[in-house]
Every structure is written in C-alpha cells, then in structure tokens.
Amino acid sequence: ELLTSTMFPGTATGTVRTGDKGHQYMIEILRYCRSVLRFGRHIAKVAILENNLKSTSTSPSTTATGEDGTVDQFYDGIGGQFNALVLEDDEEEDEKEKWEAEDNDIRQRKFRTFQVPDTPDKEIDIQKDLIDGDDRFQAIALLQTMDDLMGAVNEHYGLLKTFLRGIDRDDAGYTGSIQLLMECTVVANMATQSVHVAENALMANHPHLSSFYHVLALVFLTNSVADITQIINKTKLEREPHMALRFVGEIIECSFHNRGQERLPGIETKFVRKSGLSLQAVQDHAQQIHMLVAHETQLALEEPMNARMNRLFATNGMHPHTWLSQSSYIGGDACIMNTQNIVQKLMDAVEDRQKLVAKPGFWGPQFNEITNPAKRIRGGLDEAFAGSVMPELMAICMNAPFHCLPERAQLITVIDLLHHHIEGGRTRPVPAALTFGLHAILTSIMVLQGDGDLARIASFAKQSYNTLFAQLDAVSDPSQQPENAPIFYWNVGLFKNLVNFAKPASSTYDTRIAFLDPAIAEGLAFWNPLIGGEYMLYVSYMCSIGLGSATVDSLGQLRFTLHLYNALKQRDPSIHVPFLQKLDKVFSKTRAVWVGGRPEKGSYCKHFWLAWGSSIAEASRMGSDTPSGGFMSSLMQSRGNLTRQLDEILPEEYSASYRRLVQQVLTDEDGVADYTILNSTNKEREKQQHHYAGLFALLTRVNMTRDAMDEDEDFVLPINFSVVGCILLEFTNELSKHMGWDEVLNEAMAAYPEFMRTGKTMGGRKMKPGSFNTSDINLKCQGMAHMWAAMLSRLDSSGDDDDGSTRMETDKAVVFMTKFFQNLAKERYTFFVEKEEEEQPIQTRHSPLEGSYPYGRTGKTSRLPLAGFVHFKYSKRGKPVARLIKPGKCTPYHPTASGDVATPYEEQGSKMKRERSGKYRHIASYTMDELTELGWDGAMYSTSQGRHAAIDLYVPFICGYDSDADDNYEPIDISAGKRAGTIGLPPDDIGRYMEIPDIRNPGQRQLVQLNKSR
C-alpha cells in the first residue's frame, strides 16, 4: 500500500482517486490490511511491555488485568505470534501522539474495530482492471516492454558478433553472415512494431497520453501532476480531469526541442485560461519542471556548459539520465531519452528537401570502431548518430517516395516510421516507436563495433544490394539474349529503380568546407547493421522473391524445365543436376507448376497440359492421344479449347519465410510456442507469459520467422529469381535448337502465318492483331509447348520394348541438360556477397589498449567475465612455471570442450637477449610502439618473484618475453610505464570481473574481481 501510495500521490489520504473503480478498491483493501497490521503491531508492543513487567515484578498491581480478571489468558491468546510484528518504530512524529492514545486504549482492552471496504457491484477482473485498466500501470508497462524488447535486439546482434568472430563459424568463411544480419533485423523490426502497437493501444485507451512526453509525465513526474491538480478548481477538473497531465507533458516536450524555453509562454498562457490558475503559479511550476527535465535529459555536448548547474543538482543527489537507470537497455549509458532528444532537435533543425550537414566533433568525439570505439551509446555514438545516421536518413526519406513501396511496414519498419513522421509533420512529438527503432540502430552499432566488423558487415550488405540490381540491369536490356516477354522488361525496369533508395541525397552545401567524410556518413547511415539489414530484407523479399514470382516463368520456362526434369529423373534416377534438383525442391509445393500434383509415368503429358492452362478434359484427351499428324495436327486440335488461365506462381508457395515475414501469417501450427520457454511446466509457462507477455510474443514470432528463413537458406534467400527465369529461358531455347524443334516451329510460322495469328487465347478471347498474343515470341512459346508435350507423351508410353528413338532423343536431352547447367556459374544467379573487398582492407588497431573487449566477455558484470587462462612454460633452470594471464582486448579466445579456456600461445622458449650491461631488459620497460611491433595483444600478467622493480604489478605478456626469476634486469621506470598504460591495470579494467582456473578444483573456474592495487 505504501508503494501504491507513492506511485499514486493522494491515494493514502483519499484526496485523489486515481485509476478505475477496480484499482481504487484494491488500494482500499491494501490500506485496510496495512491499518489492521499496524494496530496489531501496537497490541504486540503493549503485550510485550506488560509481559516484561510481569516477569520482573512481584507486585500484582503492576500487571494489567482483562475483563475476566486474568492476564495470562491475554498473553496465551496472542501466544508468540505478535512478536514478529514488533519491528523498528517507523512512525512519523506527528503520528506518535495519536498512537499514544491508541496504546492507552489497548492497555484498557478497548480494541478499535476496522470496517472492511465495500466490494464493488461488478465482479473485478484483477488482471484486466489493474493492469489493462489503469493508465499509469500501462505507461510503466510500455517502458518495461521497450527495455525487454531492446534486450532481445541486443542479444540477437550479439549472435551476429559471435559469428563474425569465428566462434560459431566453420571454414566456409563468412558464408551465412548476410542471412544472420537479416534475421537480426527481423528481430529489431518486430520489436519496433510491437512498441508501435503498444503505444497506439495506450493512446487509444487513454487519449490523455497523446505522446511519449505525456507517458514520461505520468510515470516520472506524478508528484508534479498531483500538485497542480490539487490547486485547480474541481468544476474545471470535472470538465477536463487530465488537464494537469497534459500541461506537464507539454512542458517536458519543450526540453526536447531546440530553444524549448521560448515555447513555454504560449503553453503557460493557454493553461492559465483553461485552469483558472494565476499566471505566476503556472510559471513557477513550468520553470521548475522545465529545469528538472532539462537536467535529466541533457546531451553529452551540453554537460560542460551545464557544469555549474550539474554540481548544484549533484549536491541534492540528482544526476542526469536517472529516470530509466533501472533499465538495462534503454537507460543509463544506453538511455533512450538521449536518442529522443537528438531526434526531436534534428527534426526542428532540418528544412524541407534539405540535408543537414554536421561539422566533425560538433556532437562529440568522432566515432571509429578501430581507433575510437564507443564505450557507451549516450555520448559515445552521439556524433555518429546526429552527424551521419539521422541527416542521411532524413534526407532520403524527404526525397524518395517510400510511401509507394508495398510491404514497407514489415520489411523496412524503421525507415517507414521515419518517413511517415517526416511526411506527417517533423516538429510534432516523436513517437516512442520511432525512437525505439532508431535506438535499435545504435544498439546494433554498439554490439558489432570492433575488429572491423561494422565495416565488414556494411561492405557485405552494400555489395549484395548493388549486385542484385546489377543483375537486374543486365537482364533488362531487350537487345540481349534471350528475348523475353514485354511484361518481363516492364516489371524488371520498375523494380531496378529501387537501387536509388539507398543512395545519399545530394547536398547544397559547399563541399570544400570540412564536413564529415561522405563515405563514412553513407556507411553509418545506409549500411549500419539495422538499416543495411532492412535494405537487404526488402530486396530479398520484394525484388527477388516477389518480383521473381512474376518473372521466373514469364514464358513458361520454369514449367517446361521442371516437368521435363521430373520425367527424366523418374526414368533414370541416376540423373543428377544440382541446380535443377534444388530448383525442383524449391517449387515442389507450387500449385501453378504441379497442377493436380507431381505426375508419375503415364500422366506426364496430361499434367503438363494442366500446368499450361488446359481444362481437365482437354488435358486428359491431349495426354492420352498423340496426334498422328505431328505438331500441326496437335496445334489444330487444341485451337479454341484452351479456356483456363495460367495459374499464378505465388511467392508464399516457394518461400516459407515470405509467408511469415511479408504476409504476417504467424499461426502456431508447428508448435513454436512450446519451445520458446525450454524445460518448463504448463504453470511455469503461463507465469512467464503473464509477466513477459510482450517479450514472449515477440520471441514466438521471431522463432517462427527464423525457422522459416532457415528453410529458405540454401536456394531461396540468396537467389535472384528473375535471373533464374532468364537462365531457364536460355536453356529451353537452346534445348529446342539442339533437338531440332526450332526448325519445325519456324517452318510452321512461315507456312501458316494467318492461321497461327487467329483464333482464341487460353482465356477464350479472340486474339488482337499486334498484341503480345500474336507476336512471334508468344507463338514460338505456344508451339514449344506442343513440342514439349510430345516428348513427355513419348516418355509416358516408352518402355523396354520401344524402338530406340525415344531413348536416343531422351539421352540427347539429358546430355545437353547436364552440360548446360554444369557450366553455370553460381555468381550469375546469387547476389549475397560475403567476401571482403581487397581494395578496402579492414584497418588494424595500433594500440591493443584501444577499443572494447569482445562481446560476451567484457567483464563489466559477473555474468560476462573476462576469460582468464593459465600459460605453462619451463624456466631456464627447467622448473615448471604457470602464468595467470589477464586477456587483452585483442587476445585470441580458445575455449575447450570441458568449459575451460586454453592458452592461445605456443611456447617456444625465451627470446630475450642480454644487453651490454649483462642484464636483461624487462618487458615492463618497453614502449607502446615496441610492444606493438612485437605483436602485443593487450594480455598482462604479474609475478611475485624476480630481480626487478615490477613485482606484483601487471605487465604486458608476450610469449617468449616474460621474465625469469633467475635473471637480472635493468632498472624499470615504473612511473613512466604507468603513464603509458603498460604497467599496472588500465583504469578501464579496474573492477571488471574475470574467470580464472580454480587451482583447488581442477576443471572448475572461479570468479574474481580485478583490484586497483595491482
């Protein structure tokens, strides 16, 4: 009840009745229970006091007597149970006088009665009325959900980081990194969508929470809202009960805008008219709130300017960015309000169709994952975000028509939200969902930075994106062979223009001014792990799978090829063409290809005609009767009877993940939810679902989608299906020439030009002169269908007793098919590029003390400790020596199957040489440049033995250059080494956790914390 009273000021006294009736009832019940318990505690205190007096005094007059004249019955009645209630006295001073009178009544056995609160007429659904029905609980739940979902985003990008570091990667290089990037982006997009839905639901249920700033007001400035509410006339409050909350929310918003102080007078004047309060009172509250919020949300670049104010606040225990300090992923050093602040201010600054251009260093230190990595999101990535990411993304959203792109909400979620906000009014309050998505960009950068992985993944994504459009550009030229249908060129020409959606917008500023490097800005904005992943999702599902459904079979080439391969494969199972085998598997569930199911011998021809659009009756007749007149006889018999349209090839029938991701079909027919929480009972699972409903729902959808993407991994996601259609068209044309069918078709078209161009279409309509139906390419395609059907018909009837002609023709087709696809280069039809560009080598770190520790082994928490290990060697006298090594930021990681960590170094003995003095030079006296030349990775060790001045101090460890207890060493300048960072623990390492081998329990590891003294 105390907690509730704190969260809802005024409820303890009844002056403010917050929430719905159900919640008010719960507060009254809690207050009743607390009052009874407090009264019981005072009974216990009186009873204990009297019991002590009884035991220490022999005088009957010192004991209290009940109505029955005995004291013992009273004590026996309460037993020792009330002793638990005798706690430290936490009563307020003004309450002590009241309780003294109450204690006197207790001594006289006059016990107060307590009235149980009346139950509301309507039965209360606690979960619905308490959680779903109250605005503040829903607001808090929104923030908690945002933190949980951002944690899921962080975790999945951590998987990508682990993969890139090679722990879960085999000898296949970086193959699979693009798909994993896309899967991580799916998680980020789904999390952003979840926040978007939750935010809209909150505003729909509680219209007074019309922006994220009103949510902050309700959660963190409840006292301010209550104070203002209490001084407003009740009549005015009845007309608009939430006017104080709206006012506080608007004041909070001012602190996020540029020159927000100038917005205050207008807000104050409006509130004075609405509330009836004096201008002075309103101004006092507004100034106090504005100063508090400005201090809480200040940017890193503002901290030096606000140093005096910050010291003043600090004396009262107030520090910036503490509102969300308990949130691991959207608070503290990763505070999402810092992101909100930057975005809102940039929205104020940008002008229509213009691009903001920042000067280096304006927003803070320049980010570089190698030479200057970020130690935290807030402050560490402000320059990259405000100077590169946001200006580029805002510019492309203002100039590119993203609103015309289908399925953008599912595939480019963050870009879509940003575009929608810019188009709808930039200076309005930035929604929480948009800020969440943009903050996810920073989270992805923070997790992947280091070891050149950001540059690596950006290069892979950009190369893959450009490769797909280069392939589309190549096949869109009508002058190149094979000639395709006009609709093919129209579709491809339309989609290939999307390449411009990922190109930086031009700037009107003089490029001679020292602005940020445009190449760096482009890489951070368009090819960061999240936005680069969104672009890859879009081109994969819309420009490959989606477009491919309309282009892979533009002239029937897919149906031709797969029906022929199916018949040949069943005739001779030893035939194996890997490309066609994979293609056959991908389209095995496509009904347009296999109308009526996959055929077996005896029905090859019939099923082919069904797939070609014939009616069942017509297909059955043509499949059973081979016309004696050959090709022309077959064509004449089929004229006017083709009344069915060709079935469309649907993307969801050959891409499992298209159905999940694009169409959002996320039903749990495969039982995915059952393994979302491992090893749990039904009750445990229900409890988890109740407490983490948003996170549980997200992970369930993620599991479904990632499983589907795994199904598409080999021959769907990396494949450009428009190019595959051109390859198949080239194959069918070349096979027709090879088999001599072209000559027959050309002779027929020359001999019967009028006959071939009259009649009806497959849809039963009369063909119009000059249309595609009467064109040579279509007539050749229709004629080829009859040639194909004739061969399938011969395969239907062939057997061991055939005349040999069918066998010869079949073998001829098989040989050609095998050779054609055997020489097919994979790079021609795949667009995932997962090789590093040679002309842009990944930069190497100059100092091993720079950068950050590998993800998952940072040592910042006891759950993510540094992985210490032992390196064994023999001294010069042959004695065994064990060095306990603290790993550096570049130290290789060699985990063992037993859970231990092995030394990554190969011991080759001492490499030290005597100096002219006859002594050795200790490793602690080496400069940073010398250590770098020797390949120091940042590892350090300490020793308690030796003839040198660095005893018990951490010094660099380089295999072969560590000290020997029997050697004499030259003097060491300890102070200089500490200044250079080569002696003693680096300041950043102090307090970090590290796991080391447990000497007392072989095979086990123990946790230690690094000490400043060493």
Side-chain angles (χ1 to χ4, degrees):
E1 197 270 336
L2 280 172
L3 175 62
T4 307
S5 298
T6 302
M7 295 172 66
F8 295 90
T11 56
T13 60
T15 56
V16 179
R17 299 181 63 82
T18 307
D20 52 87
K21 291 182 179 179
H23 184 242
Q24 293 167 9
Y25 173 70
M26 292 301 299
I27 293 176
E28 291 171 358
I29 287 291
L30 291 171
R31 187 182 299 119
Y32 165 79
C33 294
R34 181 174 179 237
S35 300
V36 171
L37 289 173
R38 291 177 71 184
F39 186 75
R41 184 173 67 176
H42 280 269
I43 293 178
K45 290 172 67 175
V46 172
I48 295 299
L49 177 62
E50 293 180 352
N51 190 35
N52 291 338
L53 292 173
K54 176 186 175 183
S55 62
T56 58
S57 175
T58 59
S59 173
S61 62
T62 60
T63 60
T65 305
E67 293 179 358
D68 57 358
T70 64
V71 151
D72 292 336
Q73 290 183 358
F74 175 67
Y75 294 127
D76 293 341
I78 65 172
Q81 299 172 7
F82 273 82
N83 284 312
L85 295 175
V86 184
L87 306 176
E88 293 183 5
D89 191 356
D90 63 348
E91 308 291 350
E92 298 291 340
E93 290 294 332
D94 57 353
E95 291 185 331
K96 287 187 176 181
E97 183 176 347
K98 181 188 73 172
W99 279 109
E100 287 178 0
E102 196 81 55
D103 290 346
N104 290 329
D105 289 340
I106 294 173
R107 292 188 186 98
Q108 298 175 23
R109 307 302 182 260
K110 297 178 181 179
F111 299 120
R112 182 158 57 99
T113 59
F114 296 86
Q115 183 179 357
V116 179
D118 295 331
T119 304
D121 297 335
K122 183 180 178 181
E123 184 178 353
I124 297 175
D125 182 340
I126 295 178
Q127 180 178 350
K128 183 177 186 302
D129 288 346
L130 185 60
I131 298 178
D132 294 337
D134 185 82
D135 52 358
R136 190 165 191 272
F137 277 108
Q138 282 197 39
I140 293 173
L142 173 65
L143 295 175
Q144 292 175 339
T145 299
M146 290 170 65
D147 190 55
D148 290 339
L149 298 184
M150 192 62 72
V153 173
N154 184 290
E155 178 183 355
H156 280 80
Y157 278 108
L159 297 176
L160 176 58
K161 179 67 174 181
T162 300
F163 175 86
L164 293 174
R165 289 300 87 232
I167 296 175
D168 292 333
R169 176 161 46 83
D170 53 22
D171 295 333
Y174 293 100
T175 301
S177 57
I178 288 295
Q179 177 171 331
L180 189 51
L181 170 70
M182 292 164 61
E183 290 179 4
C184 292
T185 306
V186 167
V187 177
N189 283 351
M190 285 186 172
T192 304
Q193 288 175 318
S194 298
V195 175
H196 185 55
V197 171
E199 183 181 24
N200 288 339
L202 180 63
M203 294 179 182
N205 294 334
H206 306 286
H208 53 282
L209 300 177
S210 57
S211 74
F212 186 49
Y213 303 114
H214 293 87
V215 172
L216 297 178
L218 184 60
V219 174
F220 298 111
L221 294 181
T222 318
N223 290 335
S224 298
V225 174
D227 291 343
I228 297 172
T229 301
Q230 287 177 349
I231 61 176
I232 299 176
N233 183 277
K234 292 183 179 180
T235 303
K236 293 183 179 294
L237 279 178
E238 290 176 356
R239 290 198 299 267
E240 189 175 345
H242 300 290
M243 68 167 68
L245 175 64
R246 289 195 171 97
F247 171 68
V248 174
E250 291 176 2
I251 298 300
I252 291 178
E253 182 183 345
C254 290
S255 299
F256 288 80
H257 282 280
N258 288 327
R259 304 169 70 175
Q261 187 78 21
E262 299 177 3
R263 302 167 65 100
L264 293 179
I267 298 173
E268 294 164 351
T269 302
K270 182 176 67 174
F271 188 66
V272 166
R273 291 197 303 267
K274 185 180 296 185
S275 65
L277 299 177
S278 68
L279 178 60
Q280 185 61 50
V282 172
Q283 287 177 338
D284 290 344
H285 281 287
Q287 290 296 331
Q288 181 182 7
I289 294 170
H290 180 68
M291 181 178 296
L292 178 65
V293 177
H295 174 261
E296 167 66 23
T297 62
Q298 61 186 295
L299 300 172
L301 67 89
E302 296 172 330
E303 290 179 359
M305 297 179 287
N306 299 334
R308 183 177 179 182
M309 182 186 72
N310 290 340
R311 286 194 298 269
L312 180 62
F313 274 95
T315 58
N316 296 318
M318 300 175 64
H319 302 279
H321 296 280
T322 57
W323 285 359
L324 294 170
S325 58
Q326 300 303 311
S327 300
S328 301
Y329 301 100
I330 63 169
D333 288 342
C335 189
I336 197 171
M337 287 196 290
N338 187 75
T339 306
Q340 176 92 10
N341 200 355
I342 292 175
V343 174
Q344 191 73 70
K345 283 179 167 58
L346 291 177
M347 291 293 176
D348 289 345
V350 70
E351 299 179 2
D352 289 340
R353 310 301 171 189
Q354 298 294 322
K355 181 164 73 172
L356 293 174
V357 182
K359 292 184 178 181
F362 175 81
W363 291 92
Q366 284 190 269
F367 168 76
N368 185 297
E369 67 169 320
I370 300 299
T371 61
N372 189 31
K375 295 181 180 179
R376 60 180 187 175
I377 290 179
R378 181 174 65 87
L381 289 177
D382 287 358
E383 172 79 356
F385 183 64
S388 297
V389 176
M390 284 303 297
E392 294 291 348
L393 292 183
M394 287 193 296
I396 195 65
C397 285
M398 285 190 290
N399 289 279
F402 282 101
H403 60 278
C404 297
L405 300 184
E407 315 300 349
R408 59 190 180 277
Q410 297 92 301
L411 301 175
I412 50 173
T413 307
V414 178
I415 295 176
D416 180 53
L417 287 175
L418 179 59
H419 178 267
H420 180 75
H421 181 77
I422 289 175
E423 291 297 307
R426 296 187 300 274
T427 58
R428 60 193 171 125
V430 175
L434 173 56
T435 301
F436 180 92
L438 296 172
H439 196 72
I441 294 177
L442 299 177
T443 299
S444 71
I445 293 174
M446 191 70 188
V447 173
L448 256 71
Q449 68 171 341
D451 303 299
D453 288 335
L454 274 178
R456 184 174 291 111
I457 207 68
S459 174
F460 292 170
K462 184 177 181 180
Q463 287 185 81
S464 301
Y465 185 87
N466 290 333
T467 296
L468 179 135
F469 287 106
Q471 292 172 346
L472 292 181
D473 192 57
V475 300
S476 64
D477 186 357
S479 66
Q480 300 296 319
Q481 292 298 320
E483 184 183 2
N484 217 314
I487 190 64
F488 171 90
Y489 296 114
W490 189 88
N491 283 327
V492 173
L494 180 66
F495 274 81
K496 75 176 187 177
N497 290 325
L498 295 181
V499 68
N500 298 315
F501 281 63
K503 291 182 178 180
S506 59
S507 174
T508 58
Y509 289 96
D510 189 344
T511 56
R512 293 173 296 177
I513 303 176
F515 292 121
L516 291 174
D517 186 344
I520 295 176
E522 179 187 356
L524 285 172
F526 293 99
W527 306 111
N528 64 68
L530 197 154
I531 298 299
E534 287 197 339
Y535 278 121
M536 285 305 302
L537 283 175
Y538 201 85
V539 297
S540 296
Y541 286 95
M542 299 309 298
C543 301
S544 175
I545 298 172
L547 173 63
S549 66
T551 56
V552 71
D553 194 49
S554 53
L555 289 173
Q557 61 268 38
L558 178 68
R559 305 174 207 231
F560 286 162
T561 305
L562 292 185
H563 275 268
L564 179 60
Y565 183 69
N566 175 67
L568 295 176
K569 183 75 174 176
Q570 290 188 20
R571 180 178 178 272
D572 182 4
S574 66
I575 297 174
H576 182 64
V577 182
F579 178 85
L580 294 182
Q581 190 69 28
K582 293 179 180 179
L583 200 66
D584 182 67
K585 181 180 179 181
V586 168
F587 289 95
S588 61
K589 298 179 181 179
T590 302
R591 289 172 291 179
V593 175
W594 308 110
V595 180
R598 184 181 293 272
E600 297 183 355
K601 185 178 179 181
S603 62
Y604 298 146
C605 186
K606 172 188 173 181
H607 278 77
F608 171 76
W609 282 119
L610 285 174
W612 196 246
S614 298
S615 65
I616 297 176
E618 182 71 8
S620 299
R621 182 187 63 77
M622 297 181 70
S624 59
D625 300 329
T626 302
S628 58
F631 164 69
M632 284 306 301
S633 176
S634 172
L635 184 61
M636 290 179 64
Q637 292 182 32
S638 67
R639 288 181 75 235
N641 294 322
L642 303 179
T643 57
R644 277 185 66 194
Q645 290 281 7
L646 286 176
D647 290 334
E648 294 183 19
I649 292 179
L650 303 176
E652 63 269 24
E653 292 184 352
Y654 68 88
S655 170
S657 56
Y658 185 94
R659 179 168 169 264
R660 296 292 197 195
L661 186 57
V662 179
Q663 297 183 330
Q664 297 284 287
V665 179
L666 295 165
T667 54
D668 188 29
E669 66 268 17
D670 299 324
V672 176
D674 289 339
Y675 62 78
T676 302
I677 300 177
L678 297 175
N679 305 321
S680 61
T681 63
N682 289 334
K683 289 185 178 180
E684 290 172 340
R685 188 179 303 117
E686 290 176 1
K687 184 177 179 181
Q688 293 281 357
Q689 290 176 342
H690 174 74
H691 288 290
Y692 302 100
L695 182 60
F696 182 88
L698 171 70
L699 295 181
T700 300
R701 298 197 304 273
V702 166
N703 279 342
M704 294 179 183
T705 305
R706 289 191 64 183
D707 286 349
M709 293 178 75
D710 288 341
E711 290 183 39
D712 292 344
E713 179 178 7
D714 293 332
F715 211 74
V716 176
L717 292 179
I719 305 301
N720 189 334
F721 284 97
S722 296
V723 175
V724 169
C726 292
I727 292 172
L728 296 180
L729 184 59
E730 181 182 343
F731 164 71
T732 55
N733 290 346
E734 294 299 319
L735 179 62
S736 181
K737 292 179 182 178
H738 183 72
M739 303 298 291
W741 300 339
D742 256 15
E743 296 180 8
V744 178
L745 293 175
N746 291 334
E747 290 176 1
M749 291 171 64
Y752 306 98
E754 184 177 349
F755 169 81
M756 297 286 286
R757 289 171 172 79
T758 58
K760 296 181 179 180
T761 67
M762 292 181 180
R765 292 175 294 181
K766 186 176 181 180
M767 294 192 295
K768 298 179 180 179
S771 66
F772 169 72
N773 289 324
T774 61
S775 64
D776 287 348
I777 187 172
N778 180 57
L779 295 178
K780 182 179 178 180
C781 177
Q782 300 300 331
M784 191 180 295
H786 289 267
M787 305 300 293
W788 226 265
M791 183 172 186
L792 292 173
S793 179
R794 288 192 289 273
L795 290 171
D796 275 332
S797 58
S798 66
D800 297 334
D801 56 346
D802 60 31
D803 57 4
S805 61
T806 301
R807 185 182 302 110
M808 291 178 60
E809 187 177 31
T810 301
D811 291 343
K812 186 177 181 181
V814 169
V815 170
F816 180 84
M817 176 186 290
T818 304
K819 288 185 177 180
F820 181 90
F821 290 106
Q822 186 178 20
N823 298 324
L824 186 62
K826 186 178 180 180
E827 293 73 18
R828 183 178 171 187
Y829 58 86
T830 60
F831 64 96
F832 281 10
V833 179
E834 296 166 316
K835 296 180 180 179
E836 298 183 39
E837 296 178 283
E838 295 181 1
E839 63 274 17
Q840 295 181 354
I842 300 299
Q843 187 179 1
T844 57
R845 184 181 290 117
H846 295 295
S847 169
L849 299 180
E850 297 174 354
S852 58
Y853 281 98
Y855 178 80
R857 302 191 306 280
T858 63
K860 290 185 177 181
T861 68
S862 58
R863 298 180 62 185
L864 304 172
L866 301 175
F869 56 90
V870 174
H871 179 81
F872 293 95
K873 60 171 289 185
Y874 287 93
S875 70
K876 293 178 179 179
R877 289 193 176 187
K879 295 181 179 180
V881 178
R883 301 286 195 208
L884 179 59
I885 309 297
K886 181 197 77 70
K889 295 175 179 177
C890 302
T891 303
Y893 177 56
H894 286 188
T896 65
S898 62
D900 205 349
V901 179
T903 176
Y905 310 117
E906 182 180 354
E907 181 59 45
Q908 298 178 346
S910 178
K911 300 178 182 179
M912 305 286 282
K913 295 181 180 180
R914 292 181 187 273
E915 300 297 318
R916 291 182 179 180
S917 63
K919 299 179 180 180
Y920 290 95
R921 187 183 175 197
H922 196 276
I923 191 68
S925 65
Y926 283 49
T927 65
M928 181 63 74
D929 289 340
E930 289 175 315
L931 293 171
T932 304
E933 286 292 327
L934 292 175
W936 184 40
D937 57 27
M940 305 186 87
Y941 79 104
S942 67
T943 179
S944 59
Q945 299 178 357
R947 303 171 183 175
H948 55 80
I951 297 296
D952 291 334
L953 292 174
Y954 275 103
V955 298
F957 179 82
I958 301 177
C959 194
Y961 291 86
D962 53 325
S963 61
D964 193 292
D966 296 318
D967 287 339
N968 292 315
Y969 292 92
E970 293 184 332
I972 303 172
D973 189 341
I974 300 296
S975 298
K978 287 184 175 181
R979 288 194 301 269
T982 58
I983 296 179
L985 277 178
D988 187 45
D989 282 359
I990 296 171
R992 290 184 188 258
Y993 293 89
M994 181 170 71
E995 268 192 351
I996 61 174
D998 190 343
I999 300 176
R1000 297 179 180 178
N1001 299 293
Q1004 302 296 317
R1005 293 176 67 78
Q1006 61 178 333
L1007 188 69
V1008 298
Q1009 194 167 16
L1010 299 179
N1011 196 320
K1012 182 177 181 180
S1013 63
R1014 301 176 68 186

